[in-house]
Amino acid sequence: MAEKAKIAVFISGTGTNMAALLYASRLESSPFEIVLIASNIASADGLALAELEGIPTFVHSHKGHSREDHDTAMEAAAKQAGTEFIVLAGYMRVLSDAFVERWDGRILNIHPSLLPKYKGLDPHARAIEAGDSHAGASVHLVTPELDAGEVLAQAKVAIAPDDTAETLQARVKLAEHQLYPRAVADYVARGNDPDCLFGQLRSLALALPETHERESHGSPGFRVGSEKSGKFFAYFSDRHHGSEHIALLVKTSGMDELLNLVEAQPDIYYKPAFYGASGWVGVILNRPNIDWDHIEEWLGRSWRAVAPARLTKLLDAADMF
Ligand code: GRF
């Protein structure tokens, strides 16, 4: 079984979603484990459960601290615990933009409405008030704008004619407890999913000038130049030739650089079969905390190494400004 993704759950209250995540993480097949439960409220009920279940906890009151300082303290505890993803479960603090940006793509939240409807407060009452037939819950990525990040999963809940905000909230929570653990599991598993990784890579590779996709020896690759005489600047390798890596293969300046990279950072680079012999390095994609800017840099560099002069000249000229 692959290593489990390490998540920290941030709570402020009862923590029933936290409990659902905690017990889901106890299933052998769970792709995530909880390494920390952190809260801004010392009396949050969820903390007692976390302690009972032997999960490390961290409390830091937000009172008397700036938003940035409070976030930084929470972040330090999360990092110390080895956190890869932060999962908000009834965490009643708006996070600072800087913090959200540092964890871009790695903070999830659950909101009790069918987003984009009813962002912010009182979503249940607002859904009843509007006469909606259904309410529900949404799991989304956290971005600086409140409740506006990409929606990852949703569950619908019918509204009864005599529902109050409270009765509806109770049923929506039942749905939340099913939804959240699954959405988190699917999301953290994406990092090992070749289709997702390839999709991300393809969009970066094809964003470079005059590129197209072409298969080579059974693996997808990307070329620059015309369909007829273009040259490969990148390949996607999905556990080829007995390797456990899903990787991007790109051109280095030669064997010296390749071997140096592999020796200095063996968790990022490896020497791939066949291609390695001609100076192509494998950049591992199925690893935690992958930095896509770094992948983009490698693609750009490899593109430049093989692109025709008429294209690189244009870019060189643009770089001078
Ligand atoms: C949930 O309704 C969740 O959607 C919202 O806050 C509530 C937290 O409830 N973000 P609990 O603490 O998990 O019981």
Side-chain angles (χ1 to χ4, degrees):
M1 171 103 203
E3 231 183 85
K4 299 191 180 225
K6 295 181 172 48
I7 71 168
V9 182
F10 285 14
I11 61 168
S12 299
T14 45
T16 63
N17 277 290
M18 177 217 85
L21 290 161
L22 192 166
Y23 293 119
S25 77
R26 293 273 162 88
L27 300 181
E28 212 175 290
S29 61
S30 168
F32 63 85
E33 61 179 319
I34 301 183
V35 293
L36 184 74
I37 309 280
S39 180
N40 59 321
I41 308 277
S43 59
D45 291 340
L47 287 173
L49 177 66
E51 272 156 28
L52 175 70
E53 291 290 357
I55 315 267
T57 58
F58 174 77
V59 181
H60 188 72
S61 171
H62 57 279
K63 293 197 181 130
H65 299 282
S66 71
R67 197 175 292 290
E68 282 73 20
D69 288 353
H70 184 257
D71 287 352
T72 304
M74 297 289 281
E75 180 178 23
K79 278 192 170 163
Q80 174 91 25
T83 301
E84 291 158 3
F85 298 91
I86 293 176
V87 176
L88 309 179
Y91 185 60
M92 301 308 284
R93 302 277 306 154
V94 173
L95 299 165
S96 60
D97 289 0
F99 176 71
V100 171
E101 270 149 27
R102 284 198 292 281
W103 287 78
D104 184 28
R106 294 187 295 138
I107 311 181
L108 280 72
N109 184 38
I110 188 161
H111 182 74
S113 79
L114 295 172
L115 289 172
K117 280 187 157 178
Y118 315 128
K119 297 173 181 170
L121 296 176
D122 298 326
H124 309 92
R126 286 154 67 201
I128 294 172
E129 176 71 31
D132 292 356
S133 65
H134 287 80
S138 307
V139 175
H140 65 95
L141 289 176
V142 174
T143 54
E145 196 186 332
L146 188 69
D147 297 331
E150 181 192 343
V151 172
L152 301 172
Q154 287 185 316
K156 272 169 98 177
V157 174
I159 299 181
D162 58 351
D163 257 333
T164 61
E166 288 69 35
T167 57
L168 178 58
Q169 177 178 27
R171 281 202 320 291
V172 169
K173 274 216 186 168
L174 295 176
E176 290 183 33
H177 300 161
Q178 297 297 316
L179 177 69
Y180 212 3
R182 285 186 202 195
V184 172
D186 287 349
Y187 189 70
V188 303
R190 270 191 190 183
N192 287 315
D193 176 355
D195 292 341
C196 286
L197 293 171
F198 180 63
Q200 197 122 355
L201 186 66
R202 172 196 272 146
S203 62
L204 292 177
L206 295 182
L208 290 161
E210 275 192 42
T211 49
H212 57 271
E213 193 173 329
R214 173 80 56 92
E215 204 175 279
S216 165
H217 301 285
S219 289
F222 299 97
R223 306 199 323 163
V224 51
S226 68
E227 285 282 348
K228 202 162 155 240
S229 62
K231 285 191 177 155
F232 281 99
F233 65 97
Y235 300 94
F236 177 73
S237 170
D238 180 7
R239 291 168 280 214
H240 257 194
H241 307 296
S243 155
E244 80 258 35
H245 305 308
I246 302 175
L248 159 69
L249 308 190
V250 277
K251 239 175 136 65
T252 62
S253 58
M255 198 52 70
D256 280 351
E257 186 188 14
L258 191 164
L259 295 178
N260 281 336
L261 287 169
V262 175
E263 191 184 291
Q265 290 171 293
D267 49 337
I268 300 183
Y269 299 106
Y270 72 104
K271 183 177 170 202
F274 306 111
Y275 292 94
S278 33
W280 291 73
V281 71
V283 188
I284 302 167
L285 300 174
N286 56 334
R287 65 190 151 98
N289 300 348
I290 179 159
D291 175 357
W292 285 98
D293 291 343
H294 177 239
I295 300 299
E296 194 175 4
E297 276 164 31
W298 266 113
L299 283 168
R301 195 186 134 174
S302 199
W303 178 94
R304 254 176 201 273
V306 300
R310 81 185 149 79
L311 289 177
T312 54
K313 263 192 213 139
L314 281 179
L315 278 200
D316 290 342
D319 279 354
M320 282 164 57
F321 294 99

